Amino acid sequence: MKVTAAPLRPTAGSEEGKEGSRTAELRAAVGQEILDLLGWSDEVGMLFFPYDHHLLGMPKCRVTGCSQASVARRLCEGCRLRWRQAGRPDVDEYVEHARPGTRRTGVEDCSVKGCPRPFRSWRNPVCSTHLGQLTRLQVTLEEFLVRDDVVPLPAFGPCEVLACHRKRDGRSPYCHGHRVRWSCAVKRGLSRHDEARWRRTTAPVSANNEVSLRGLADRVVAEILFGIQARTREGLHTTQPVLRTLTNRLRELELPSLTAVDLDQVSRGERGFCSSLVTQVSRFGLTPEGERAKDVWNGAVFGHAGYLRFTGIHQPWLRSAAKEWAFFSLPQRRGKAIATCQDVVSAFALLSESLKLQREDCGNDIRAVGRRDITAFTNRLSYLRHTGVISPRRTVVIS
């Protein structure tokens, strides 16, 4: 199906400084190959998932002539329902003889050559004005389209809903779908004062393999594009229904970044996917050298899962020593390397707490630390063991 879209209108506000730089870096890291695969253009702001890709989107329904995406047994919802009504025959035999459903989704331009207005329906593929003219003339569509007095008409402009890529079909500021939605919203009690926010946050009218990123913050768009690329490179499957539901929710929340999302704010079905995108974005630009200076290390930078935390170590010199040990120890470990190293770092933290409690300088002066402090530390370990704070095994490991 040919999809026409109105140019993307800029959202209110712009990113500046560090945040804008981060957005630009993320966007620059997205390769042209994945953008072409998803049919992305910055002007339109739409993703079109390919049907034949094993990691992106959902395959097309197996029934010949059906343009819908499949959901189960490689059949779309309509064809699957008709398959069940037919008594659940063998699927391979069914798809050879089944008739596709007559219902189709999406909107195209009027069939009159050069007319940019959206058509009325798939049964009447001309705009409302030309449909009225066709009805008055009482001729077939083929005869109508070749008449000299049938001329293209000027467009009404794009739908005023930020997320929508469709065109208006009349003097209303909305496309047909959003005109109906706004009417229903008014009946439910939404006032004209709420219309501006409704235009910013309401969901687009999407069909089949389309996902709209219009109306989202530039940073969120860059994060989603980068996240999809990273997931695809790791062999993870991304489907348009899950992404569509997540983007609709993000649009409602009007958040500046995926990292600002509280997972309780999204539905259970999208939490795992949202968390995956955030993880991919958080890893962008990280290096072992850069991570070394932080107090919380992302294990993925070193090839391991999890985070290594040095925040429990108070003295700068001791924290630096623990980081130095961990930096050279991680490459020598396999399996649960982060958990193993965290056990040792936790022992550093216990020593740090002991120095903080038992020295007047809180242990900040390394030159003043001596044998007495180690003896005090071992005594504190015995105290913690007897009070149940640490186990006897843990005491032996630390010692």
Side-chain angles (χ1 to χ4, degrees):
M1 182 183 73
K2 178 185 177 182
V3 178
T4 58
L8 182 64
R9 295 186 300 278
T11 55
S14 61
E15 294 180 330
E16 297 180 357
K18 185 177 180 180
E19 291 300 313
S21 174
R22 176 70 171 178
T23 299
E25 291 172 356
L26 280 167
R27 187 62 184 80
V30 181
Q32 191 60 43
E33 181 181 357
I34 191 73
L35 297 178
D36 293 340
L37 189 62
L38 293 169
W40 172 265
S41 77
D42 293 327
E43 293 75 23
V44 175
M46 297 284 297
L47 296 175
F48 302 94
F49 281 71
Y51 287 112
D52 56 352
H53 197 279
H54 66 293
L55 292 177
L56 293 172
M58 300 157 61
K60 190 176 290 187
C61 178
R62 292 176 60 188
V63 174
T64 304
C66 185
S67 61
Q68 305 295 314
S70 63
V71 291
R73 297 180 183 272
R74 291 289 306 278
L75 300 175
C76 68
E77 292 182 358
C79 291
R80 184 167 179 265
L81 175 61
R82 287 184 288 275
W83 169 76
R84 293 174 65 181
Q85 292 172 343
R88 300 173 183 262
D90 180 75
V91 176
D92 293 331
E93 295 181 1
Y94 174 78
V95 297
E96 291 182 4
H97 305 96
R99 297 178 59 186
T102 56
R103 181 177 179 273
R104 300 178 68 180
T105 57
V107 175
E108 292 189 0
D109 286 346
C110 176
S111 296
V112 174
K113 185 177 181 180
C115 184
R117 297 183 181 183
F119 68 20
R120 185 60 180 257
S121 68
W122 287 99
R123 292 181 182 273
N124 300 298
V126 289
C127 65
S128 299
T129 305
H130 282 128
L131 180 60
Q133 188 179 0
L134 172 63
T135 303
R136 288 193 302 273
L137 292 172
Q138 295 185 341
V139 295
T140 64
L141 178 62
E142 292 74 15
E143 294 171 337
F144 177 77
L145 294 178
V146 297
R147 289 177 62 96
D148 294 335
D149 57 345
V150 176
V151 296
L153 302 170
F156 288 108
C159 177
E160 290 297 320
V161 171
L162 279 183
C164 187
H165 67 286
R166 297 187 176 183
K167 301 173 184 176
R168 295 154 53 185
D169 60 355
R171 298 189 181 279
S172 167
Y174 306 119
C175 65
H176 173 75
H178 282 115
R179 186 170 71 248
V180 173
R181 289 189 189 181
W182 173 245
S183 177
C184 293
V186 171
K187 290 178 181 178
R188 290 196 303 267
L190 210 63
S191 69
R192 290 289 176 182
H193 299 291
D194 303 316
E195 189 171 7
R197 186 178 188 279
W198 182 85
R199 291 182 180 185
R200 295 195 313 270
T201 61
T202 196
V205 183
S206 300
N208 290 337
N209 64 334
E210 305 170 11
V211 177
S212 173
L213 302 188
R214 300 160 69 98
L216 296 173
D218 292 342
R219 174 70 173 270
V220 175
V221 172
E223 289 171 339
I224 290 175
L225 293 175
F226 178 82
I228 292 176
Q229 174 180 264
R231 284 174 54 85
T232 304
R233 288 177 176 175
E234 292 185 7
L236 300 176
H237 191 199
T238 303
T239 61
Q240 62 267 31
V242 175
L243 178 59
R244 185 182 298 135
T245 305
L246 177 61
T247 53
N248 289 344
R249 182 57 179 153
L250 293 174
R251 201 175 285 107
E252 291 177 5
L253 296 172
E254 298 187 275
L255 297 177
S257 169
L258 284 175
T259 56
V261 177
D262 183 341
L263 291 181
D264 291 335
Q265 295 176 307
V266 300
S267 63
R268 184 174 300 177
E270 284 72 56
R271 288 176 188 172
F273 178 66
C274 182
S275 179
S276 174
L277 291 178
V278 172
T279 298
Q280 298 294 350
V281 170
S282 66
R283 294 176 181 175
F284 173 69
L286 299 182
T287 64
E289 294 74 24
E291 207 70 3
R292 189 176 184 178
K294 300 177 182 178
D295 292 334
V296 179
W297 292 3
N298 189 328
V301 179
F302 303 94
H304 302 289
Y307 291 85
L308 189 57
R309 305 177 187 278
F310 300 88
T311 51
I313 306 176
H314 306 287
Q315 298 77 16
W317 64 268
L318 187 57
R319 183 180 296 181
S320 178
K323 289 180 181 180
E324 191 76 6
W325 172 85
F327 187 79
F328 290 100
S329 180
L330 279 172
Q332 304 173 22
R333 300 182 182 275
R334 298 294 181 269
K336 298 181 179 180
I338 293 295
T340 302
C341 287
Q342 188 66 67
D343 284 343
V344 178
V345 172
S346 296
F348 276 95
L350 286 173
L351 173 59
S352 173
E353 187 69 18
S354 177
L355 292 173
K356 182 180 179 181
L357 293 172
Q358 302 187 59
R359 290 194 58 84
E360 292 184 359
D361 62 356
C362 295
N364 289 318
D365 186 358
I366 186 175
R367 295 169 298 181
V369 176
R371 183 183 182 89
R372 294 180 59 184
D373 299 299
I374 300 302
T375 301
F377 175 53
T378 56
N379 288 335
R380 180 163 177 77
L381 288 179
S382 298
Y383 165 76
L384 294 175
R385 183 191 64 188
H386 288 297
T387 55
V389 176
I390 60 176
S391 65
R393 179 182 177 281
R394 179 70 175 151
T395 306
V396 173
V397 172
I398 295 173
S399 302

